[in-house]
Amino acid sequence: DAGVIQSPRHEVTEMGQEVTLRCKPISGHNSLFWYRQTMMRGLELLIYFNNNVPIDDSGMPEDRFSAKMPNASFSTLKIQPSEPRDSAVYFCASSLYIQGRGEAFFGQGTRLTVV
Amino acid sequence: GDSVTQMEGPVTLSEEAFLTINCTYTATGYPSLFWYVQYPGEGLQLLLKATKADDKGSNKGFEATYRKETTSFHLEKGSVQVSDSAVYFCALSGQHGSGNTGKLIFGQGTTLQVKP
């Protein structure tokens, strides 16, 4: 398996523009996570899905952020409109969570810069 | 709620020195515990894990023991190398059946720098 695949690897956009980050989890995994990493706040869980259903989105900073998982092999994180403070590295991770067990595998991340 | 606390970094060591990175957690029941490593410009990689009390996880010379009595999962390595320079994250996943579905909670990360 190729692992968790994220695209794009780098994104530079202007303030106010819409940004869409994409994630392909490992085939067969049933949980998917979106994290944001910054120097100031470290690694923050934004939202996670189990069997394509959003379980906890309490980490989503505000309504400008939305995430979808239309099927087991694809998820998006959208920011509209983007702001400079959204600049960060966004990671997607997936796991096979069964009976309380299952480690997460991370993608390479998308480095977002909003200017 | 569940939480993980790691020792603050950066930790700077000479090659072949002994490494300890402290990690303690707060959680109900018996969570699963993990150490992840992040090399510059990369995503997080699972380093080792332990799923029940007294388990010892080990990989690449690193090891950590799940201590329920002290709610700790300290990372150790007997002889570090320059190539071990990275950021290390301790994490937990809550006990099954307590409303958890694999959510990982991370500590703040500890930067390790190993000098030749």
Side-chain angles (χ1 to χ4, degrees), chain A residues 33 35 37 48 56 103-104, chain B residues 36 38 49 101-104:
Chain A
F33 310 84
Y35 287 89
Q37 186 177 38
Y48 76 103
D56 183 353
E103 61 266 27
Chain B
Y36 283 80
Q38 184 179 30
K49 66 178 180 180
T101 50
K103 173 180 175 179
L104 270 179

Side-chain angles (χ1 to χ4, degrees), chain A residues 19-79:
Chain A
V19 176
T20 299
L21 311 182
R22 297 173 175 79
C23 175
K24 182 181 186 324
I26 292 174
S27 177
H29 280 189
N30 58 2
S31 291
L32 183 140
F33 310 84
W34 282 101
Y35 287 89
R36 178 172 69 176
Q37 186 177 38
T38 61
M39 289 293 292
M40 292 298 294
R41 291 193 295 269
L43 202 59
E44 304 172 276
L45 177 64
L46 301 178
I47 185 171
Y48 76 103
F49 297 82
N50 184 253
N51 293 321
N52 311 338
V53 176
I55 302 300
D56 183 353
D57 65 354
S58 59
M60 297 285 261
E62 46 198 279
D63 291 346
R64 298 185 297 107
F65 286 69
S66 63
K68 294 182 179 180
M69 192 164 187
N71 57 61
S73 58
F74 185 65
S75 177
T76 59
L77 177 68
K78 184 179 293 186
I79 308 172

